Amino acid sequence: AARFARAMAAASAMYGGFYVSQADSMDSGKTRLSRWIHGWSINRTGFHREHVNPNLLRFLPELLPTLFKPGVVQDTKRVLVPLCGKTKDLGFLAGLGTETVGVEGVTAAIEQLAEDLKKDHDVTLSDVTMQGAFKERKCEINGGRLIMLQGDFFEMSKSEKFDAIWDRASMVAIRPADRKQYADLLSSMLRPGGKLLLVTVEHDPFKNQGGKLGPPFSIEDTDVTELYGKDFNIKFLERHSCIENEPHWIKKGASYFNEGIYILEKK
């Protein structure tokens, strides 16, 4: 309980969104990652914020409810953060005593994440080892563990099992045609009763960018139901406008830009 309180206190002043660095094509791992690798190479990472995501802070009791039950003996929960970039959310979640696994395809993102972890949490990182198709590094944070996997997320094994998944903007980065494969993979890795905290975006085409649809790609309520309704109980939590605080969406030509937040429970 004290560890959880310390982690929450440290994060309470940190707010910000996060748009991921990952795939938009299922042609090959190299093709999927090429545009994001280029973006990181020229420091085009405006999606990254130096804060724990406020939606995670607000809805953590929905994602990991046993953390909020006094007297309950805690098993170590495994939390997956797909397409993680170098988000501060990873250190925060591991610091709650979980085993958090962040998966990212871009080498530069993982390298920057490692440096940030050393600075923010004074950790010692393991050497890089190969685990199947992924390069792996680990560290301990406040009694929890963070595992960083570098590689193509779509090569994750369905035999991997997690108690919770935090998708703060992963699905919106993926080409709409590839969403079903992504959703099926998440479903296969989440244990029955496990929770998926999902943040989507809703917007019209970016008319100042030639009518570009994304990324981030708009996802409606009906899309969430179509993708996840078979395997999950879906609860809508909140919808709010971002356009006032993030005026760059107006510059792109969007007339509205909303975030939708859902909690999904695996059947």
Side-chain angles (χ1 to χ4, degrees):
R3 177 176 56 197
F4 173 70
R6 287 194 300 269
M8 287 298 292
S12 63
M14 298 180 177
Y15 295 92
F18 191 87
Y19 292 99
V20 301
S21 53
Q22 185 72 349
D24 66 351
S25 170
M26 286 301 297
D27 296 335
S28 69
K30 184 176 180 180
T31 302
R32 278 197 291 276
L33 294 170
S34 59
R35 68 184 303 273
W36 299 106
I37 292 171
H38 175 67
W40 281 89
S41 71
I42 61 174
N43 202 33
R44 191 175 63 204
T45 56
F47 46 78
H48 177 69
R49 304 290 178 85
E50 295 294 334
H51 311 291
V52 176
N53 191 296
N55 295 316
L56 176 59
L57 295 176
R58 290 184 60 205
F59 296 110
L60 187 64
E62 296 278 1
L63 181 65
L64 293 167
T66 59
L67 293 181
F68 297 83
K69 294 181 179 179
V72 174
V73 177
Q74 298 289 333
D75 295 326
T76 299
K77 301 298 183 184
R78 297 195 81 215
V79 182
L80 173 66
V81 184
L83 288 59
C84 65
K86 59 173 185 176
T87 176
K88 301 289 187 178
D89 301 350
L90 295 170
F92 169 71
L93 286 166
L96 297 176
T98 70
E99 181 177 270
T100 296
V101 179
V103 186
E104 171 58 48
V106 180
T107 301
I110 290 291
E111 290 175 347
Q112 292 178 37
L113 171 61
E115 291 305 311
D116 286 350
L117 287 167
K118 293 175 185 177
K119 179 179 64 177
D120 296 343
H121 299 281
D122 192 28
V123 299
T124 300
L125 294 164
S126 69
D127 293 333
V128 177
T129 60
M130 291 302 301
Q131 298 293 331
F134 295 88
K135 295 180 180 179
E136 179 184 270
R137 296 190 78 179
K138 301 178 182 179
C139 66
E140 305 292 321
I141 300 177
N142 196 28
R145 172 178 290 185
L146 175 59
I147 300 173
M148 297 174 285
L149 298 178
Q150 183 201 332
D152 181 0
F153 180 74
F154 286 95
E155 294 187 23
M156 286 286 288
S157 171
K158 293 184 177 181
S159 64
E160 287 279 354
K161 299 301 176 186
F162 295 90
D163 302 292
I165 300 175
W166 166 226
D167 183 341
R168 76 240 175 282
S170 307
M171 190 167 68
V172 300
I174 297 172
R175 195 178 64 171
D178 303 326
R179 288 175 184 163
K180 186 178 187 305
Q181 180 177 357
Y182 173 82
D184 289 347
L185 181 55
L186 291 193
S187 177
S188 71
M189 292 191 290
L190 193 62
R191 295 187 175 103
K195 300 294 186 68
L196 165 58
L197 182 58
L198 172 66
V199 179
T200 66
V201 298
E202 303 164 354
H203 62 81
D204 48 355
F206 301 132
K207 63 183 180 182
N208 294 340
Q209 294 188 325
K212 187 178 178 181
L213 299 177
F217 293 97
S218 184
I219 298 175
E220 307 294 330
D221 287 342
T222 53
D223 299 318
V224 175
T225 299
E226 181 179 351
L227 289 164
Y228 291 110
K230 178 182 177 182
D231 295 333
F232 290 85
N233 296 314
I234 301 171
K235 177 182 176 184
F236 172 74
L237 296 176
E238 182 180 286
R239 178 176 289 105
H240 57 259
S241 174
C242 302
I243 208 147
E244 295 84 3
N245 297 323
E246 300 178 19
H248 56 279
W249 301 120
I250 297 176
K251 293 180 180 179
K252 290 177 180 289
S255 64
Y256 67 94
F257 193 95
N258 302 326
E259 279 189 339
I261 307 169
Y262 306 79
I263 190 71
L264 287 67
E265 182 176 6
K266 182 71 179 294
K267 294 178 180 177

